[in-house]
């Protein structure tokens, strides 16, 4: 007999608990205060004084910057949410007395903590590294996606695709620096590179100095020849 009773004991306890709970609750359009049920205030309003035996609930509208979005028995309206730019947010829809502010990510940010139609926290889109290209633009809800450049191409991290390295030889130019995944190849004009330019300048200087020396040697030799020449003096005295 005791064994057979057992399965009925628990459901009965559960049913009694549920009914006693329902017995204390009010209709959908009412709220409970003490042992009374009072009519709720509409969205956008709040309770000024609770109902009594001979008066209904009295309500007041929410002040600017506060709201209630449902019929309620609240004595205070909720404060509107701030869309904090420090959290990467801006206002999507301003607060009204019947609805809270909706926030959205700032330009260049994406939401990392969405709540219904709003966002509680956003983060800046990541920047692709040099050697990578932006394979997917970041959106308000997704981060930027980066991919590596394949060999022979480059991107500084801001490109939407990797560019092939400039082929210096096919432009009849000299390769000065080979391209990397982060930077293009650098080409130089024909055969003129830094080495030959410096070499050329040194050669010109040597030629100028050498030429000057040779000229002076020639002048000095000529003068000394004329000074000591007997033929020259003889020639003068004859005239
Ligand atoms: C990504 O955004 C840039 C501008 O920031 C635009 O030029 C480009 O077309 C976009 N790419 C895609 C795949 O939407």
């Amino acid at each position: 007999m005791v064994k057979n009773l057992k399965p009925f004991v628990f459901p009965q306890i559960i049913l009694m608990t549920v009914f006693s709970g329902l017995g204390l609750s009010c209709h959908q359009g009412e709220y409970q205060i003490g042992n009374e049920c009072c009519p709720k205030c509409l969205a956008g309003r709040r309770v000024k004084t609770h109902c009594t035996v001979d008066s209904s609930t009295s309500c007041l509208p929410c002040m600017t910057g506060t709201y209630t979005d449902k019929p309620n028995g609240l004595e205070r309206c909720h404060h509107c949410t701030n869309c904090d730019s420090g959290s990467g947010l801006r206002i999507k829809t301003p607060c009204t007395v019947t609805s809270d502010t909706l926030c959205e990510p700032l330009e260049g940010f994406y939401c990392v903590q969405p709540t219904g139609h709003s966002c509680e926290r956003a983060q800046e889109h990541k920047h692709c590294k040099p050697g990578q290209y932006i394979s997917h633009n970041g959106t308000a809800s997704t981060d930027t996606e980066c991919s590596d450049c394949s060999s022979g191409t480059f991107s500084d991290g801001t490109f939407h695709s990797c560019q092939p390295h400039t082929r210096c030889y096919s432009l009849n130019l000299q390769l000065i620096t080979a391209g990397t995944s982060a930077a293009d190849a650098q080409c130089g004009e024909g055969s003129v590179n830094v080495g030959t330019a410096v070499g050329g300048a040194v050669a010109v200087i040597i030629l100028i100095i050498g030429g000057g020396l040779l000229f002076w040697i020639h002048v000095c030799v000529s003068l000394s020849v004329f000074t000591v020449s007997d033929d020259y003096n003889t020639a003068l005295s004859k005239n």
Side-chain angles (χ1 to χ4, degrees):
M1 276 303 283
V2 176
K3 259 184 184 174
N4 288 343
L5 263 176
K6 235 184 173 178
F8 294 98
V9 173
F10 289 108
Q12 275 177 339
I13 291 170
I14 291 165
L15 281 177
M16 280 168 64
T17 312
V18 170
F19 275 119
S20 63
L22 282 175
L24 289 171
S25 71
C26 305
H27 289 117
Q28 212 188 347
E30 294 179 331
Y31 66 96
Q32 192 185 332
I33 185 83
N35 284 323
E36 300 290 320
C37 283
C38 287
K40 287 179 176 173
C41 296
L42 296 175
R45 300 169 75 82
R46 60 156 180 104
V47 176
K48 184 188 174 201
T49 47
H50 298 293
C51 68
T52 60
V53 181
D54 37 36
S55 70
S56 185
T57 313
S58 79
C59 304
L60 278 176
C62 294
M63 290 193 308
T64 307
T66 67
Y67 73 98
T68 50
D69 55 2
K70 295 188 285 277
N72 64 88
L74 299 170
E75 291 173 39
R76 290 170 188 278
C77 302
H78 304 296
H79 282 283
C80 294
T81 298
N82 264 326
C83 299
D84 177 22
S85 62
S87 300
L89 299 171
R90 65 181 176 196
I91 295 171
K92 177 179 164 190
T93 312
C95 195
T96 70
V97 288
T98 57
S99 63
D100 194 10
T101 324
L102 297 183
C103 305
E104 66 183 2
L106 290 165
E107 193 64 44
F109 285 67
Y110 70 106
C111 191
V112 290
Q113 212 169 301
T115 51
H117 293 288
S118 191
C119 177
E120 277 189 12
R121 202 165 57 86
Q123 224 165 54
E124 197 173 359
H125 291 149
K126 77 163 162 247
H127 298 285
C128 297
K129 298 190 192 83
Q132 298 184 317
Y133 68 101
I134 301 166
S135 46
H136 284 287
N137 283 338
T139 67
S141 60
T142 61
D143 199 2
T144 307
E145 285 177 41
C146 308
S147 298
D148 294 334
C149 291
S150 56
S151 84
T153 66
F154 74 100
S155 162
D156 66 2
T158 68
F159 298 174
H160 288 88
S161 64
C162 299
Q163 304 298 305
H165 292 143
T166 303
R167 290 160 63 219
C168 298
Y169 296 114
S170 65
L171 296 171
N172 276 328
L173 296 172
Q174 261 211 334
L175 177 68
I176 291 184
T177 315
T180 65
S181 64
D184 196 3
Q186 283 182 289
C187 307
E189 270 300 327
S191 61
V192 176
N193 59 27
V194 177
T196 49
V198 170
V202 168
V204 167
I205 289 166
I206 286 171
L207 280 175
I208 290 169
I209 293 171
L213 274 176
L214 282 174
F215 175 76
W216 275 110
I217 288 166
H218 176 75
V219 168
C220 291
V221 167
S222 305
L223 281 177
S224 63
V225 164
F226 280 114
T227 314
V228 293
S229 165
D230 288 337
D231 293 343
Y232 182 69
N233 289 333
T234 313
L236 278 178
S237 56
K238 275 184 181 169
N239 287 331

